[in-house]
């Protein structure tokens, strides 16, 4: 490798590209939002937004609350939103929850549960057709958001290495009026020119983390430590029980993995050379295995 | 932790990363090669191979390595790759992102998307089928995209009994083709991807081949040297001012495409020609930086306040500067569903600039597979053409051979990226489409018996278009309306035309920003021309137009007079304005100054006028 003082290592390059993508999105989309699932990927994405906009996050963060999220995730979300002055917006499928059309308690399978609590809730929250709840930083409570304008640009933390259909995404990926994804007819992406023009009624999913792997995410968290570090919800770390979450989701469908990694460097080592070197991250997610292409089906219909 | 490069702590694992695209004709075994590479280097997730094998068994299908990549249901059922997939694997030497591109002509734009982000390419040719249409087309596209790191594999050698003669024949023929498109492969490898021959190690089946295996060939690719030595170029993505969040910095942001720059250096923004000096280099969660370099997404504050728009290229003032021209010669690869035609306005995106553009001339249209050139009135899908493009205002760019990043562009047609291109050279030509249009209009204009002099004598003033412009909320409109009232009270023939009176159709909101702004100005110019022709003093206020847009309005209003009043700071220099006012100037005093200006320039008898 070059010994020049101008070297960019792999993480520098990944960061620069993600920042570039975020800035393109911010310039081109008037009604822009970022999905924040509270997991490590979208939290790194949030951090990259602060990089891109010099400490600010100049668009709302949308979280879809399935009500089955591990409680520690919600506390962490609101603490960080207050601390970083984030414009936090939450959406939910209240009807499905009230009718108890959920897995495993209700009479629906995993895929249908995901579809109702995540895909449907996301679709309607983005479109502004279901209520949005916005965090009031003074009262620290969520209030009905007056803004019901559809978000036309939605930034998502999907990574290509996660799963087959995600490996086929573009940085700027159009979704039609029904949030459907036409995988066979995706826009060309040449050099650094993305699809930033879109017909009325459609929206664009923006994927700044496409080239990152799970290991890159943890390496970056390890590197970004001075003066501030990226706060990561502690569910990812073993607290002495020999268990930790590798991927966060709803508790009925996400299982912790056997691991003694207690810190970021230990996780990096575990992924780089240790027991998870060759085991896929979503191995602990049950909905991916329901049929031949469970996640593909969900994603075609708008799942993130 | 990230510090300015000198003090940077070397990471514990300083690994290099490279993007490699796999291309070639449909069914020549691209996905199989990638699947095999992943399997043989132990890069697959645990259980993935067994899972796919079990799935094949369940569906009574023979196992194929391609199934590891073709993740989509349609791909598996049709047995072809539809879209580019990215997969990750590591060799001893470095980390790879392997981009498996589809080979079917129908999915050519997907292949281009994959290839455009690659630093190196592996091109596959089926030993049994030989060189096919897309073997050549993809080879040509590698040359077009500027990928010079190339290895060619002749696959399915098992189907020709590992016969060296077959290999040598294909090699000779294809090398000849590559030479025509200025490409020279580093390796030419006979392989049987399905059986793993010559993939990670040399195969006993082909003892006559002594060259590199595919894995060795990959590791042999050299990364392009970063462009620190070249002239500094940073296309401006945006100008940030987060004042509402208690931040007073005005930050010019973008990614540095070539060169390096330090605080304190003089810079020039093109095409606007504005000069400034870098005050500081801004970043979040890093120690202070004095220098920024190629590849970084950076941010700068300037010594003095500056009004520029996204799209300008920031350059070092003393460097060799980019070309600024509205016409240029380019090679275009067309992917649009509709052909590329003359007489239609498209959107050009070059670096971060976005401007309306028209096809001015087609020099030749080329079949990328046969390398045959033809004369045609339009460019069809999947064709490559050498053309002259004319943007509706000057753009800044480099020839692709000088600095590739600022010499590439795309063309957007009806929301879709429909063409990609590389700029060969600027074309300097006084004869613009606008001038042609005005000449034609003046020639065809049906004139009445009342000529401009008669009108002026009648109204005691010549006609004029008064453009009052400046940034948002600077009191432009107030001044414009007060001026109209004053002139009206003086019994002058005048009219205020607010731009908020939507000139463009009601559908403006649904249209492309760049094109609709252009269209709007065009309509305003034509309308102004009619009204000034009628002898009016027409007053209009416009937010933030630049020098070139101003020139367009003035040209369209010709032969009648245009007066420019600039309020506060603007996107063009004071020398372009006939009068400069301060922000939110008192309308009374502003009106007085403008009336003085009118007396000096359009009024026949000043005493009578007032």
């Amino acid at each position: 490798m070059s010994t020049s003082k101008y070297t960019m290592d792999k993480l520098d390059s990944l960061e620069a590209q993600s920042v570039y993508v975020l800035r393109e999105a911010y310039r081109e989309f008037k009604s822009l939002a970022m999905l924040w699932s509270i997991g490590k990927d979208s939290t790194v994405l949030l951090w990259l937004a602060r990089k891109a906009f010099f400490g600010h996050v100049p668009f709302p963060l949308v979280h879809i609350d399935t009500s089955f999220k591990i409680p520690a995730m919600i506390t962490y979300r609101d603490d960080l939103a207050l601390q970083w002055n984030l414009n936090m917006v939450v959406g939910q499928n209240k009807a499905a929850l009230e009718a108890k059309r959920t897995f495993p308690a209700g009479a629906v399978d995993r895929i249908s549960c995901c579809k109702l609590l995540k895909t449907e809730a996301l679709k309607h929250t983005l479109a502004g057709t279901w209520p949005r709840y916005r965090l009031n930083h003074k009262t620290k409570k969520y209030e009905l958001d007056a803004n019901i304008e559809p978000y036309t640009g939605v930034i998502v933390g999907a990574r290509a290495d996660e799963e087959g259909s995600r490996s086929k995404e573009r940085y700027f990926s159009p979704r039609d009026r029904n949030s459907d994804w036409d995988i066979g007819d995706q826009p060309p992406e040449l050099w650094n020119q993305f699809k930033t023009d879109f017909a009325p009624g459609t929206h664009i999913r923006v994927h700044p983390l496409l080239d990152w792997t799970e290991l890159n995410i943890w390496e970056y968290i390890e590197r970004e430590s001075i003066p501030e570090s990226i706060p990561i919800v502690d569910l990812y770390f073993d607290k002495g029980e020999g268990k930790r979450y590798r991927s966060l989701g709803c508790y009925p469908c996400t299982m912790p993995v056997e691991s003694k990694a207690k810190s970021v460097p230990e996780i990096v080592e575990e992924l780089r050379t240790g027991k998870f070197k060759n085991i896929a991250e979503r191995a602990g997610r049950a909905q991916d295995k329901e049929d031949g292409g469970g996640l593909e089906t969900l994603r075609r219909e708008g799942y993130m | 932790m990230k510090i300015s490069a000198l003090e940077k702590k070397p990471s514990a694992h300083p690994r290099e990363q490279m993007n490699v695209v796999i291309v070639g004709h449909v069914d020549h075994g691209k996905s199989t090669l990638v699947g095999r590479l992943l399997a043989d280097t132990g890069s697959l997730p645990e259980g993935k191979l067994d899972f796919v094998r079990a799935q094949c068994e369940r569906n009574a299908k023979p196992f194929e390595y391609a199934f590891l990549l073709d993740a989509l249901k349609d791909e598996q059922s049709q047995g072809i790759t539809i879209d580019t997939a990215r997969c990750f694997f590591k060799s001893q030497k470095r980390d790879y992102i392997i981009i498996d591109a589809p080979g079917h002509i129908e999915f050519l734009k997907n292949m281009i998307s994959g290839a455009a982000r690659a630093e190196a390419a592996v091109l596959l040719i089926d030993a049994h089928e030989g060189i096919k249409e897309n073997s050549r087309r993809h080879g040509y596209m590698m040359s077009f995209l500027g990928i010079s790191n190339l290895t060619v594999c002749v696959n399915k050698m098992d189907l020709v009994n590992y016969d060296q003669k077959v290999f040598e024949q294909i090699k000779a023929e294809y090398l000849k083709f590559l030479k025509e498109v200025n490409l020279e492969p580093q390796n030419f490898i006979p392989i049987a991807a399905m059986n793993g021959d010559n993939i990670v190690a040399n195969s006993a089946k082909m003892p006559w081949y002594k060259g590199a295996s595919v894995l060795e060939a990959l590791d042999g690719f050299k990364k392009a040297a970063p462009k620190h030595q070249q002239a500094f170029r940073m296309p401006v993505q945006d100008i940030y001012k987060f004042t509402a969040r208690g931040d007073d910095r005005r930050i010019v942001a973008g990614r540095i495409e070539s060169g390096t720059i330090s605080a304190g250096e003089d810079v020039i923004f093109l095409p606007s020609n504005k000069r400034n000096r870098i005050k500081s280099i801004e970043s979040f969660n890093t120690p202070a930086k004095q220098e920024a370099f190629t590849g970084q997404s950076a941010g700068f504050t300037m010594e003095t306040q500056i009004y520029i728009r996204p799209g300008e290229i920031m350059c070092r003032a003393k460097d060799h500067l980019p070309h600024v021209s509205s016409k240029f010669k380019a090679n275009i690869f067309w992917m649009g569903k509709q052909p590329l035609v003359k007489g239609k306005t498209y959107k050009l995106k070059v670096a971060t600039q976005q401007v309306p553009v028209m096809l001015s001339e087609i020099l030749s249209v080329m079949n990328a597979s046969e390398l045959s050139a033809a004369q045609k009135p339009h460019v069809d899908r999947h064709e490559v053409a050498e053309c002259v493009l004319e943007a509706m205002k000057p753009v800044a760019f480099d020839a692709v051979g000088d600095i590739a990043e600022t010499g590439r562009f795309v063309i957007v047609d009806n929301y879709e990226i429909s063409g990609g291109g590389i700029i060969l050279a600027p074309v300097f030509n006084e004869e613009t489409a606008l001038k042609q249009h005005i000449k034609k209009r003046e020639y065809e204009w049906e004139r009445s018996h009342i000529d401009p002099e008669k009108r002026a004598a009648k109204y005691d003033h010549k006609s004029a278009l008064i453009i009052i412009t400046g940034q948002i909320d600077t009191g432009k409109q107030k001044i414009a309306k007060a001026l109209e009232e004053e002139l009206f009270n003086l019994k002058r023939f005048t009219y205020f035309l607010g731009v908020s009176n939507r000139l463009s159709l009601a559908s403006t909101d649904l249209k492309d920003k760049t094109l609709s702004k252009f269209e709007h100005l065009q309509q305003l110019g034509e309308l102004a021309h009619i009204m000034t022709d009628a002898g009016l003093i027409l007053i209009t206020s416009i937010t933030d137009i630049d020098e070139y847009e101003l020139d367009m309005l003035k040209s369209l209003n010709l032969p009648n007079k245009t007066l420019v009043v600039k309020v506060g700071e603007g996107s063009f220099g004071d020398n372009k304005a006939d009068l400069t006012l301060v922000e939110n100037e008192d309308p009374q005093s502003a009106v007085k100054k403008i009336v003085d200006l009118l007396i000096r320039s359009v009024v026949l008898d000043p005493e009578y006028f007032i």
Side-chain angles (χ1 to χ4, degrees):
Chain A
M1 280 185 88
S2 159
T3 51
S4 149
K5 62 174 176 164
Y6 302 127
T7 42
M8 302 260 292
D9 68 18
K10 190 174 63 185
L11 293 179
D12 294 331
S13 303
L14 287 169
E15 180 193 77
Q17 174 71 358
S18 301
V19 164
Y20 182 85
V21 169
L22 283 166
R23 287 175 178 169
E24 287 293 290
Y26 182 59
R27 188 188 68 236
E28 292 296 327
F29 296 97
K30 255 196 219 140
S31 186
L32 181 69
M34 180 186 276
L35 298 187
W36 186 25
S37 73
I38 323 300
K40 64 189 188 316
D41 298 331
S42 55
T43 303
V44 163
L45 188 59
L46 174 56
W47 183 263
L48 288 165
R50 298 179 83 206
K51 286 265 175 188
F53 308 109
F54 305 94
H56 307 284
V57 184
F59 34 70
L61 291 164
V62 173
H63 181 229
I64 300 304
D65 189 354
T66 62
S67 86
F68 288 97
K69 298 287 178 193
I70 302 162
M73 292 167 69
I74 303 298
T75 316
Y76 161 87
R77 173 191 80 192
D78 292 344
D79 286 351
L80 209 56
L82 291 170
Q83 192 189 327
W84 286 356
N85 193 23
L86 304 174
N87 182 0
M88 191 70 223
V89 171
V90 172
Q92 197 168 55
N93 189 345
K94 283 206 170 359
L97 287 171
E98 277 160 20
K100 297 214 179 338
R101 294 169 64 206
T102 58
F103 178 88
V108 296
D109 60 16
R110 288 182 204 273
I111 295 275
S112 307
C113 181
C114 260
K115 206 167 156 173
L116 287 166
L117 296 191
K118 291 190 190 171
T119 314
E120 285 296 306
L122 179 65
K123 204 192 287 189
H124 289 285
T125 305
L126 294 181
T129 46
W130 284 1
R132 295 172 180 163
Y133 299 91
R134 191 162 170 262
L135 181 63
N136 180 328
H137 284 253
K138 286 201 186 97
T139 62
K140 301 183 183 176
K141 296 255 183 313
Y142 282 86
E143 295 167 356
L144 197 63
D145 191 3
N147 174 18
I148 54 164
E149 203 183 314
Y151 297 121
T152 49
V154 182
I155 306 168
V156 185
R159 302 188 331 258
D161 78 321
E162 283 177 277
E163 173 273 337
S165 66
R166 283 185 185 171
S167 79
K168 311 238 164 188
E169 282 282 8
R170 299 285 188 268
Y171 290 112
F172 283 64
S173 192
R175 296 293 192 268
D176 71 10
R177 281 167 199 280
N178 303 315
S179 282
D180 285 351
W181 180 33
D182 185 351
I183 308 182
D185 189 22
Q186 296 202 69
E189 243 168 32
L190 283 113
W191 307 301
N192 274 315
Q193 299 293 356
F194 310 121
K195 182 178 167 64
T196 50
D197 302 286
F198 55 98
T202 64
H203 75 269
I204 304 266
R205 298 270 174 102
V206 183
H207 301 113
L209 293 184
L210 220 46
D211 293 335
W212 297 58
T213 62
E214 182 191 13
L215 175 59
N216 297 151
I217 293 283
W218 285 109
E219 286 172 330
Y220 188 70
I221 294 168
E222 185 181 25
R223 184 184 84 164
E224 281 296 311
S225 54
I226 294 172
E228 255 189 271
S229 56
I230 307 178
I232 292 297
V233 63
D234 67 358
L235 294 163
Y236 283 107
F237 306 108
D238 171 37
K239 292 179 213 66
E241 295 156 5
K243 274 184 187 168
R244 69 177 192 88
Y245 284 92
R246 192 172 165 196
S247 162
L248 293 182
C250 299
Y251 49 82
C253 292
T254 313
M255 299 303 138
V257 293
E258 308 268 324
S259 158
K260 290 196 169 64
K262 292 187 172 61
S263 65
V264 176
E266 283 174 29
I267 292 178
V268 168
E269 220 32 60
E270 190 177 62
L271 290 170
R272 199 181 270 153
T273 56
K275 59 179 291 192
F276 290 140
K277 192 178 160 215
N278 281 327
I279 297 179
E281 176 186 350
R282 289 183 71 94
R285 296 269 196 129
Q287 73 266 40
D288 295 12
K289 295 172 187 153
E290 287 279 295
D291 70 71
L295 196 57
E296 181 189 340
T297 310
L298 281 170
R299 287 178 59 72
R300 275 182 192 272
E301 291 168 358
Y303 183 84
M304 45 182 206
Chain B
M1 142 172 151
K2 189 166 164 189
I3 320 180
S4 75
L6 255 185
E7 313 138 29
K8 188 152 81 182
K9 188 176 68 175
S11 138
H13 301 260
R15 287 184 63 85
E16 200 176 75
Q17 182 164 327
M18 182 178 258
N19 293 352
V20 180
V21 67
I22 315 289
V23 296
H25 196 74
V26 62
D27 232 6
H28 283 195
K30 294 177 292 297
S31 300
T32 305
L33 171 65
V34 179
R36 190 81 217 199
L37 262 177
L38 295 183
D40 291 0
T41 52
S43 305
L44 287 169
E46 214 163 84
K48 176 86 179 179
L49 200 57
D50 291 338
F51 175 75
V52 175
R53 276 187 203 278
Q55 241 185 358
C56 288
E57 216 161 281
R58 218 174 25 241
N59 299 325
K61 276 197 295 196
F63 167 79
E64 282 187 33
Y65 281 95
F67 294 155
L68 293 166
L69 280 308
D70 291 340
L72 305 174
K73 286 179 180 174
D74 287 352
E75 293 180 325
Q76 286 177 9
S77 61
Q78 294 176 36
I80 55 167
T81 305
I82 290 175
D83 196 14
T84 299
R86 295 171 212 222
C87 35
F88 299 77
F89 99 98
K90 292 180 170 74
S91 72
Q92 292 288 339
K93 179 166 180 185
R94 56 164 90 100
D95 296 353
Y96 290 96
I97 296 183
I98 297 285
I99 303 158
D100 179 33
H104 197 284
I105 181 82
E106 189 58 30
F107 307 118
L108 191 61
K109 70 179 161 74
N110 296 346
M111 174 283 204
I112 299 290
S113 300
R117 62 172 81 97
E119 304 164 79
V122 175
L123 189 143
L124 264 75
I125 299 172
D126 184 320
H128 191 61
E129 279 197 23
I131 297 162
K132 301 293 274 191
E133 184 194 342
N134 284 324
S135 316
R136 282 189 292 260
R137 181 176 276 117
H138 286 191
Y140 178 82
M141 291 317 300
M142 294 306 107
S143 163
F144 183 92
L145 295 167
I147 300 172
S148 54
N149 260 325
L150 175 70
T151 279
V152 181
C153 295
V154 177
N155 189 23
K156 307 194 192 177
M157 285 301 291
D158 51 326
L159 298 185
V160 297
N161 298 317
Y162 300 102
D163 185 349
Q164 183 177 4
K165 264 187 249 141
V166 175
F167 171 73
E168 295 295 345
Q169 200 182 339
I170 291 174
K171 180 174 170 181
E173 190 186 336
Y174 199 67
L175 278 178
K176 195 167 150 250
F177 170 82
L178 287 180
K179 204 169 172 194
E180 285 180 60
V181 298
N182 292 318
L183 277 180
E184 195 185 341
Q186 274 104 321
N187 288 286
F188 228 101
I189 314 174
I191 63 168
M194 184 111 67
N195 307 330
D197 294 312
N198 287 340
I199 303 299
V200 296
N202 280 28
S203 161
K205 303 253 178 56
M206 289 171 274
W208 46 268
Y209 177 75
K210 306 274 186 251
S213 67
V214 175
L215 188 63
E216 285 162 351
L218 289 177
D219 281 349
F221 285 139
K222 291 207 169 52
K223 276 189 91 81
K227 305 176 173 178
H228 306 307
Q229 306 296 332
Q230 284 185 308
F232 177 79
R233 299 283 188 269
M234 189 191 81
V236 175
Q237 278 187 290
D238 227 328
I239 296 95
Y240 299 125
K241 204 172 175 205
F242 298 109
T243 325
R245 292 164 174 265
D247 187 342
D248 285 333
R249 292 174 296 176
R250 189 186 188 90
I251 301 175
V252 178
R255 175 152 68 185
I256 302 172
E257 298 295 359
S258 67
T260 64
I261 198 101
S262 302
E265 288 202 85
D266 289 327
V267 291
I268 181 165
F269 293 87
L270 291 172
S272 77
N273 252 316
K274 294 201 167 178
R275 287 168 179 271
N276 218 308
R277 180 173 294 159
I278 292 176
K279 186 175 166 194
S280 67
I281 298 175
E282 297 294 325
S283 57
F284 170 73
N285 208 47
T286 71
K289 295 180 182 192
Q290 288 306 313
E291 199 173 10
F293 52 88
T294 309
Q296 290 185 320
S297 283
F300 303 90
T301 62
M302 297 290 140
E303 285 287 353
T304 54
Q305 207 179 37
I306 187 167
Y307 284 95
I308 49 156
R309 291 197 198 151
E312 300 267 340
I313 301 183
M314 183 166 106
C315 309
R316 179 189 282 105
K318 61 179 190 205
D319 272 350
H320 175 71
L321 296 177
H323 302 289
V324 176
S325 168
S326 55
K327 271 192 180 181
F328 55 85
K329 198 163 87 172
N331 278 341
I332 295 177
F333 168 66
W334 194 250
M335 294 170 274
K337 290 183 180 116
Q338 307 292 327
L340 171 66
V341 294
K342 290 186 192 175
K344 180 172 175 182
T345 308
Y346 298 94
K347 183 162 80 171
L348 173 76
K349 291 168 89 176
V350 47
T352 53
Q353 300 162 93
Q354 301 187 14
V355 288
V357 73
M358 287 173 97
L359 175 61
S360 168
E361 225 179 311
I362 300 176
L363 302 171
S364 71
V365 176
M366 168 120 113
N367 179 315
S369 154
E370 276 147 31
L371 298 185
S372 55
Q375 293 298 321
K376 279 181 72 171
H378 60 261
V379 185
D380 282 312
R381 195 174 181 205
H382 299 153
E383 284 179 335
V384 178
E386 190 174 295
C387 305
V388 175
L389 290 179
E390 181 177 349
M392 295 303 124
K393 59 183 183 179
V395 285
F397 59 84
D398 289 285
V400 74
D402 295 338
I403 300 178
E405 286 70 14
T406 42
R408 295 165 169 162
F409 62 88
V410 295
I411 292 177
V412 179
D413 180 16
N414 191 29
Y415 309 117
E416 306 294 338
I417 292 181
S418 299
I422 51 179
I423 300 179
L424 305 171
V427 173
F428 296 105
N429 186 341
E430 285 297 299
E431 195 58 23
T432 63
L434 181 63
K435 281 186 185 162
Q436 275 174 8
H437 163 77
I438 291 163
K439 238 188 254 173
K440 185 160 176 275
R441 185 188 71 185
E442 290 307 303
Y443 177 74
E444 290 173 351
W445 202 265
E446 194 65 45
R447 287 179 169 75
S448 68
H449 301 300
I450 300 161
D451 63 22
E453 286 72 32
K454 278 189 197 159
R455 271 184 228 281
K458 182 85 174 174
Y459 305 135
D460 190 39
H461 58 79
K462 287 185 261 182
S463 69
L465 164 66
I466 303 176
I467 299 171
I468 303 181
T469 178
Q471 301 295 313
I472 256 172
D473 294 332
T474 44
K476 302 179 297 285
Q477 208 166 65
K478 239 186 234 164
I479 295 170
K481 287 181 182 172
L483 177 65
E484 184 200 30
E485 208 175 353
E486 172 73 9
L487 292 175
F488 184 78
N489 291 338
L490 290 166
K491 300 196 169 53
R492 297 304 122 199
F493 191 37
T494 185
Y495 183 72
F496 165 72
L497 179 69
V499 270
S500 44
N501 307 349
R502 294 255 153 171
L503 285 175
S504 328
L505 308 165
S507 63
T508 306
D509 274 353
L510 307 182
K511 282 198 193 151
D512 183 279
K513 293 196 288 269
T514 308
L515 298 189
S516 65
K517 178 163 191 195
F518 170 71
E519 209 171 280
H520 179 88
L521 288 171
Q522 228 175 2
Q523 290 180 5
L524 178 63
E526 297 288 4
L527 191 59
H529 173 249
I530 296 175
M531 295 176 89
T532 52
D533 205 57
L536 266 174
I537 296 176
L538 180 68
I539 306 160
T540 189
S541 69
I542 310 174
T543 302
D544 189 32
I545 59 171
D546 68 23
E547 197 174 322
Y548 302 108
E549 290 157 350
L550 201 59
D551 282 344
M552 181 171 95
L553 278 178
K554 282 182 172 177
S555 301
L556 285 168
N557 192 43
L558 283 174
N560 305 323
K561 197 164 184 70
T562 302
L563 296 170
V564 179
V565 178
K566 185 176 158 192
V567 184
E569 294 288 336
S571 298
F572 55 89
D574 285 354
N575 58 337
K576 277 270 166 186
D578 297 282
L579 177 67
T580 303
L581 303 172
V582 295
E583 249 177 61
N584 292 309
E585 177 147 346
D586 169 50
Q588 289 301 314
S589 98
V591 166
K592 190 176 175 307
K593 286 178 189 167
I594 299 172
V595 170
D596 283 346
L597 173 69
L598 287 172
I599 288 174
R600 271 180 281 141
S601 53
V602 301
V603 169
L604 298 182
D605 183 354
E607 266 174 50
Y608 176 74
F609 191 83
I610 297 174

